[in-house]
């Protein structure tokens, strides 16, 4: 939300959480709008010269007082214009069991709140483009800059997830050799965040197909060859990076195009076999990264269950990979959860979809609470870290207050149970698609500052 204010003699736009890419003064980011004449400049032209007896010190004091007054007026005007409130919550903190090593839980806690660079390096086609590098902006419409990542850091985010599709950038000779240009570009953007002392998650994204990676017995050997090849190249590239870099095995592994793509039936042998295939691929991922040496021997790794769902990570057939002996809980569990579905993800045009969410409604909070409790009981209390590295609520007709309440509650519930979350941002704000954008990359600004403020309020 933009606010027009008087500030340091200019009309500007400022986010209430201090994020953005404009001129910076005293830790506030100001967006200069030069399309209109400024009232302050006009007033300054009419101001009389000081009396000859006035000292330079007096002039400086008067100027300082004027600036302070203008800034105070601006802040009051800004506060008055915003009608979005932030929930006051009191969540009970959950601890690990007595005697359990809590290192992984502390690591996840330090990640705080994350943001996804979605629809960027994960963009793809069914065939290689003549210019493979154009895929970075193919879906999101803009190339990533350091200025963007700096703004995300300034907004309070401590983690950036960078989803990467590799299959459009590998050789077709069966070796799956990654293009040097593509790998170098991914590394360049990783470094934007690392240089800001942020945590970074990289993965295999949107490569889930029968041509590359597909979790069935029919395609398991091909899938293993692909996963082994990708991580045998990516892991060594980042072997010297410290623990701020986190590697994620794969994104939402599932049987694409079947009746079980987005849900699993544990009474179906087909589903059970798919879960077992994912277990094998996760184990191969861990083994491959650990064998690449350097800091990869003990860095934290993320693994998903079937389609990265709650059920996929908590069913009786899912198994965490075995790690090398000296590592204690260095494998984290990854979950994606746009819940409750009818509010967070379901298209507005479908029956049952709602644009309303309330902390006082059991329908709004029960699924969130139940999910967080399940993850805590099965993993966190036993010292296993959990990262919900995709969550969010799409814009439904400007329901900013409801989305703000939702995001605030979701983060508070997760953090109370030792879980870290990453908002899914696809840079989409218009049209009939999934409008999850909260950071406008072209203008380099937080579009929904109150929503972000709500998340940050309970991020500790």
């Amino acid at each position: 939300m933009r606010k027009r204010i008087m500030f340091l003699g200019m009309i500007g736009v400022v986010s209430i959480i201090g994020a953005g890419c404009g001129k910076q003064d005293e830790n506030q980011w100001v967006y200069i709008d030069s399309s209109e004449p400024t009232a302050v400049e006009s007033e300054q032209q009419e101001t009389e010269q000081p009396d000859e007896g006035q000292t330079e010190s007096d002039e400086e004091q008067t100027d300082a007082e004027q600036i302070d007054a203008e800034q105070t007026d601006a802040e009051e005007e800004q506060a008055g214009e915003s009608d979005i409130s932030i929930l006051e919550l009191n969540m009970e903190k959950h601890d690990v069991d007595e005697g359990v090593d809590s290192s992984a839980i502390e690591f996840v806690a330090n990640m705080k709140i994350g943001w996804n660079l979605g629809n960027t390096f994960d963009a793809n086609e069914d065939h290689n483009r003549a210019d493979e590098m154009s895929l970075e902006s193919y879906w999101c419409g803009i190339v990533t800059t350091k200025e963007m990542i700096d703004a995300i850091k300034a907004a309070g985010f401590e983690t950036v997830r960078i989803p990467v599709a590799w299959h459009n950038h590998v050789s077709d000779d069966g070796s799956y050799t990654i293009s040097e240009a593509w790998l170098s570009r991914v590394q360049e953007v990783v470094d934007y965040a690392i240089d800001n002392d942020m945590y970074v998650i990289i993965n295999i994204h949107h490569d889930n197909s029968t041509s590359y990676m597909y979790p069935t017995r029919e395609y398991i050997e091909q899938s293993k060859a692909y996963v082994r090849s990708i991580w045998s190249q990516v892991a060594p590239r980042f072997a010297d990076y410290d623990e701020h870099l986190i590697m994620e095995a794969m994104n939402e592994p599932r049987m694409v195009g079947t009746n079980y793509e987005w849900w699993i039936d544990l009474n179906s042998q087909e589903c059970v076999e798919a879960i077992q295939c994912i277990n094998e691929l996760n184990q191969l991922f861990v083994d491959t990264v650990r064998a690449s040496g350097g800091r990869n021997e003990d860095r934290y790794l993320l693994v998903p269950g079937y389609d990265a769902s709650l059920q996929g990570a908590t069913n009786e057939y899912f198994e965490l990979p075995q790690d090398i002996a000296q590592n204690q809980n260095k494998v984290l569990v990854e979950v994606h959860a746009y819940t409750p579905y009818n509010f967070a993800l379901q298209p507005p045009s479908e029956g049952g979809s709602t644009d309303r969410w309330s902390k006082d409604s059991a329908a709004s909070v029960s699924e969130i609470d139940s999910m967080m409790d399940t993850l805590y009981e099965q993993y966190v209390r036993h010292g296993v870290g959990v990262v919900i590295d995709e969550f969010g609520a799409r814009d439904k007709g400007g329901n900013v207050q409801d989305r703000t309440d939702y995001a605030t509650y979701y983060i508070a519930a997760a953090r109370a149970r030792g879980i870290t979350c990453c908002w899914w941002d696809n840079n989409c704000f218009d049209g009939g698609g999934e409008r999850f954008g909260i950071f406008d990359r072209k203008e380099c600004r937080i579009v929904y500052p109150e929503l972000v403020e709500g998340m940050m309020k309970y991020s500790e």
Side-chain angles (χ1 to χ4, degrees), residues 215-217 255 264-266 268-282 304-306 311-312 315-319:
T216 64
R217 284 292 159 211
M255 293 182 285
I264 47 179
D265 178 2
L266 297 180
S268 164
Q269 185 60 30
E270 186 179 5
C271 289
V272 172
E273 288 185 357
I275 295 168
Q276 292 169 339
C277 287
I278 291 168
N279 291 342
E280 293 178 29
L281 292 172
N282 280 334
Y306 189 91
Q311 185 188 18
N315 69 77
E316 61 186 297
Y317 299 104
F318 176 70
E319 299 175 357

Side-chain angles (χ1 to χ4, degrees), residues 195-252:
D195 290 345
N196 277 329
D197 199 31
M198 302 175 79
Y199 292 88
V200 183
I201 301 171
I202 56 173
N203 70 354
I204 292 177
H205 209 92
H206 289 325
D207 294 359
N208 200 144
S209 75
T210 56
S211 297
Y212 300 98
M213 184 200 73
Y214 200 83
T216 64
R217 284 292 159 211
E218 180 181 1
Y219 294 99
I220 188 61
E221 293 307 318
Q222 172 188 294
S223 300
K224 286 182 176 180
Y226 185 76
V227 169
R228 182 186 295 110
S229 178
I230 296 301
W231 286 114
S232 291
Q233 298 171 76
V234 175
R237 188 64 168 255
F238 295 95
D240 294 332
Y241 285 59
D242 69 14
E243 67 178 9
H244 281 81
L245 183 73
I246 303 158
M247 297 177 183
E248 173 191 303
M250 48 194 166
N251 177 74
E252 299 176 354

Side-chain angles (χ1 to χ4, degrees), residues 330-381:
K330 289 283 189 172
V331 177
L332 312 174
V333 176
E334 166 204 351
V335 173
H336 295 176
Y338 300 87
T339 187
Y341 171 75
N342 64 345
F343 172 77
L345 185 59
Q346 188 177 23
S349 59
E350 291 184 359
S353 175
T354 180
D355 60 357
R356 298 303 176 203
W357 190 95
S358 170
K359 72 177 180 64
D360 299 319
S361 165
S364 293
V365 304
S366 60
E367 287 185 29
I368 297 174
D369 290 341
S370 176
M371 174 185 66
M372 299 302 179
D373 284 339
T374 299
L375 291 170
Y376 169 76
E377 290 294 334
Q378 183 153 341
Y379 292 114
V380 178
R381 68 178 300 176

Side-chain angles (χ1 to χ4, degrees), residues 402-454:
D402 294 86
R403 295 172 75 209
T404 298
D405 291 347
Y406 164 81
T408 303
Y409 187 93
Y410 196 109
I411 291 298
R415 298 296 284 176
R417 295 164 179 82
I419 299 169
T420 279
C421 307
C422 301
W423 181 276
W424 176 254
D425 191 325
N426 56 6
N427 201 42
C428 181
F429 302 93
D430 303 306
E434 297 179 350
R435 295 184 293 187
F436 282 100
I438 59 173
F439 174 71
D440 187 319
R441 301 180 200 177
K442 184 176 181 180
E443 296 190 14
C444 211
R445 68 181 180 93
I446 297 293
V447 177
Y448 302 106
E450 295 89 353
L451 190 156
V452 174
E453 183 185 6

Side-chain angles (χ1 to χ4, degrees), residues 12 94 98 117 140 175 207 222 227 239 243 246 262 266 355 391 459:
H94 296 55
E98 186 175 353
L117 186 66
C140 69
S175 68
D207 294 359
Q222 172 188 294
V227 169
E243 67 178 9
I246 303 158
W262 293 115
L266 297 180
D355 60 357
F391 93 103
S459 64

Side-chain angles (χ1 to χ4, degrees), residues 253-316:
R254 62 196 188 277
M255 293 182 285
V256 176
T258 72
N259 292 333
Y260 301 116
E261 180 169 2
W262 293 115
W263 71 285
I264 47 179
D265 178 2
L266 297 180
N267 294 314
S268 164
Q269 185 60 30
E270 186 179 5
C271 289
V272 172
E273 288 185 357
I275 295 168
Q276 292 169 339
C277 287
I278 291 168
N279 291 342
E280 293 178 29
L281 292 172
N282 280 334
Q283 185 66 61
L284 175 63
F285 158 69
V286 171
D287 293 344
T288 302
V289 173
R290 295 296 185 232
S292 64
R295 295 300 302 271
N296 291 332
E297 291 184 359
D298 64 356
R299 80 169 62 258
Y300 282 94
L301 304 176
L302 267 171
V303 298
Y306 189 91
D307 67 23
S309 67
L310 175 66
Q311 185 188 18
T314 57
N315 69 77
E316 61 186 297

